[in-house]
Amino acid sequence: MDGVLWYVLTGTRGGANRVRILKALDERPRNANKLAEALEVDYTTVRHHLDVLCDNDVLRKQGGDYGAIYLPTDRARQHWDTVEQIMEKVE
């Protein structure tokens, strides 16, 4: 998982936005619309990054498709020390 985290959060062009998304969701789980507002990022951009993070088992969504709340997965939480290292490096 550590390698996946480093790749998804630093090895691609969207990594910095994904780090911002993870940090915001760690503070408070929310849906894509609220996340886009909080980060001042286009909604479709946020949805793309949420999909990438879900596809890589970093986030999971809870609830229906529209209005679903996003949360870090248990697997991501087990490796949260790596996530925090990445956050520090990206900032």
Side-chain angles (χ1 to χ4, degrees), residues 10-76:
T10 66
T12 61
R13 210 171 54 147
N17 274 332
R18 292 184 196 129
V19 167
R20 291 180 65 214
I21 288 169
L22 261 183
K23 193 173 191 174
L25 292 174
D26 182 45
E27 292 170 5
R28 184 180 65 191
R30 51 191 114 188
N31 66 29
N33 189 48
K34 294 292 184 189
L35 195 54
E37 288 175 12
L39 299 177
E40 298 179 349
V41 176
D42 182 70
Y43 174 80
T44 56
T45 301
V46 167
R47 284 301 308 248
H48 165 75
H49 291 304
L50 289 171
D51 289 344
V52 170
L53 290 166
C54 286
D55 289 347
N56 285 281
D57 198 28
V58 179
L59 292 179
R60 65 181 174 88
K61 64 180 175 175
Q62 182 176 328
D65 202 33
Y66 181 77
I69 302 296
Y70 290 84
L71 308 144
T73 62
D74 291 340
R75 189 170 174 211

